[in-house]
Amino acid sequence: MTTIIKARDAADFLSLVPRLLGYEPRRSVVLIPFSVGRTGGGLRVDLPTDTADTDAVASTLIGFACRVEHTDAYAVLVYDDADTPTHAELVGALEVRAQACGLRRIDALHISAGRWRSYLDPALGGTIAVDPDAGTHGPAADQGAGASLPHVDLARSERVGRALTECARALEWVLNGSRPADARIHPGALVASLALEDLPAFFETWITPHGAVPPPGDAERADAQDLALLIWCLARPALRDIALATWVRGVNGGDAALVAQQEWEAGVAYPDELGAWMMGEGARPDVDRLTGALQVCRLAAASAPAAYRPGALAAGAWLSWALGRSTHAARYCEQALAIDAEHGLSLIVLSMVDAGHLPDWAFRAQPG
């Protein structure tokens, strides 16, 4: 939903920013784009550590702001630990580029330790007001919070690991026809593998239309065999992409990706329109579906043996990036690459984050 900022002054406005962003920025510059006095979010990047990076950061932020639909003004907020305003050069560089783009500056503020100062009038400053909804809606954690994987106890990890071993063995024997004559397929693995008959339907069972994780995705209740099969799928790029397509575009989107994958393996070119969403193009995905899928991938990564973990981490990285959580996306990519330095999707997502590339839908107004 679009947030309408009705702040009496800078102190009230700043009290609403953490709720607007979903976190309390630290060591950051935040640009808030406005359209006719309204804003629907903010754009955050790390403060430059080298003055040589000032122009690049300013260009990036104003470039982002100009891509947000109907932006006509902006406010810039600098969060750091200094007692007096810093990074004035960055504030000035932002204004130069904003004027060139026809954007009006509403305010420029420095925030540190619950206090603010104005870059435009050194005499202005004070304590940030308390958000009246902070008790239920106002996050206190910074932009990196929430990226840690959920806790999975050792006993559960071992159950999933054993189930994954049985699942991988059963699928290798069944798919490759290599089962030794005297080998026994674990019944649970065989039952779980039946889900491969309809992969999009299997992936869809892990989320609901409202993003809540149903029993198969619950850390306490998820069946080890089902979770093992999901981990096995996410470790295989073709199946992982079908999972992401399902979570982004529904079962029909997963079906289309499955058919396209089969045809590609037969020598047919993969349709450009089916792969465009991976780069953030196309209609805005349902945020609740992406959030539910991200919960599932975090659970899968936390439960998986190290060798299988990069696939779930990379899927979680892409979903985080699609949700505008680039800091989280980079963290998951780095964890995956620490295990497999050549992991394809992790390298792709990390390169997009490093280049400041955001999904196109991040710059369009959210319906409703």
Side-chain angles (χ1 to χ4, degrees):
M1 296 292 290
T2 298
T3 299
I4 302 174
I5 299 296
K6 297 181 179 179
R8 291 190 303 270
D9 53 27
D12 284 344
F13 169 58
L14 290 171
S15 75
L16 301 179
V17 170
R19 181 148 51 98
L20 188 70
L21 298 177
Y23 51 83
E24 179 76 45
R26 300 281 194 274
R27 295 288 306 162
S28 302
V29 55
V30 176
L31 189 143
I32 309 290
F34 287 86
S35 174
V36 196
R38 300 185 178 192
T39 184
L43 306 164
R44 187 210 71 84
V45 299
D46 293 339
L47 282 172
T49 56
D50 190 326
T51 55
D53 297 329
T54 296
D55 287 342
V57 171
S59 295
T60 296
L61 281 172
I62 295 300
F64 284 162
C66 290
R67 290 179 60 189
V68 177
E69 290 183 325
H70 313 304
T71 297
D72 57 17
Y74 78 100
V76 58
L77 315 174
V78 173
Y79 290 81
D80 72 0
D81 302 322
D83 293 332
T84 56
T86 58
H87 294 84
E89 303 87 353
L90 176 57
V91 173
L94 284 165
E95 177 61 2
V96 169
R97 285 156 182 77
Q99 288 183 357
C101 296
L103 300 184
R104 175 174 58 90
R105 183 168 63 186
I106 292 177
D107 217 335
L109 305 173
H110 175 267
I111 301 95
S112 176
R115 297 186 59 83
W116 66 275
R117 298 291 297 271
S118 171
Y119 285 97
L120 308 183
D121 184 348
L124 294 179
T127 302
I128 297 173
V130 176
D131 180 357
D133 292 325
T136 55
H137 301 292
D142 65 20
Q143 62 269 11
S148 298
L149 297 179
H151 172 71
V152 176
D153 64 58
L154 181 59
R156 179 168 180 75
S157 295
E158 290 178 345
R159 288 197 301 273
V160 172
R162 288 193 298 269
L164 186 54
T165 298
E166 296 289 352
C167 180
R169 182 185 297 122
L171 289 170
E172 179 184 356
W173 289 344
V174 172
L175 297 178
N176 297 331
S178 57
R179 178 186 177 187
D182 58 347
R184 177 179 179 271
I185 295 179
H186 189 283
L190 184 59
V191 170
S193 69
L194 294 177
L196 296 181
E197 292 290 333
D198 190 343
L199 275 171
F202 170 67
F203 295 134
E204 184 70 11
T205 63
W206 288 87
I207 62 171
T208 72
H210 300 293
V213 181
D218 185 89
E220 297 301 324
R221 295 176 291 172
D223 180 85
Q225 292 288 355
D226 286 339
L227 187 55
L229 181 61
L230 177 67
I231 293 167
W232 185 87
C233 289
L234 294 177
R236 283 150 181 76
L239 305 187
R240 178 205 61 218
D241 290 352
I242 295 168
L244 290 174
T246 301
W247 293 332
V248 171
R249 306 172 69 228
V251 171
N252 290 340
D255 286 336
L258 175 59
V259 170
Q261 183 67 37
Q262 292 170 333
E263 292 180 345
W264 178 81
E265 291 174 357
V268 179
Y270 197 89
D272 290 340
E273 62 272 17
L274 290 183
W277 58 266
M278 284 289 288
M279 299 302 294
E281 300 174 13
R284 176 193 291 273
D286 183 272
V287 171
D288 287 337
R289 287 182 62 86
L290 294 188
T291 302
L294 177 57
Q295 287 179 293
V296 169
C297 290
R298 283 163 36 82
L299 171 64
S303 305
Y308 281 88
R309 200 170 297 148
L313 284 169
W318 186 89
L319 290 162
S320 297
W321 172 80
L323 285 163
R325 304 174 188 175
S326 292
T327 301
H328 291 193
R331 187 168 300 181
Y332 295 142
C333 288
E334 289 162 358
Q335 291 177 27
L337 293 170
I339 299 170
D340 178 0
E342 302 300 322
H343 194 263
L345 182 59
S346 298
L347 290 170
I348 291 171
V349 175
L350 189 58
S351 70
M352 293 194 296
V353 171
D354 287 344
H357 176 65
L358 294 176
D360 181 63
W361 54 69
F363 302 97
R364 298 198 297 272
Q366 197 167 334

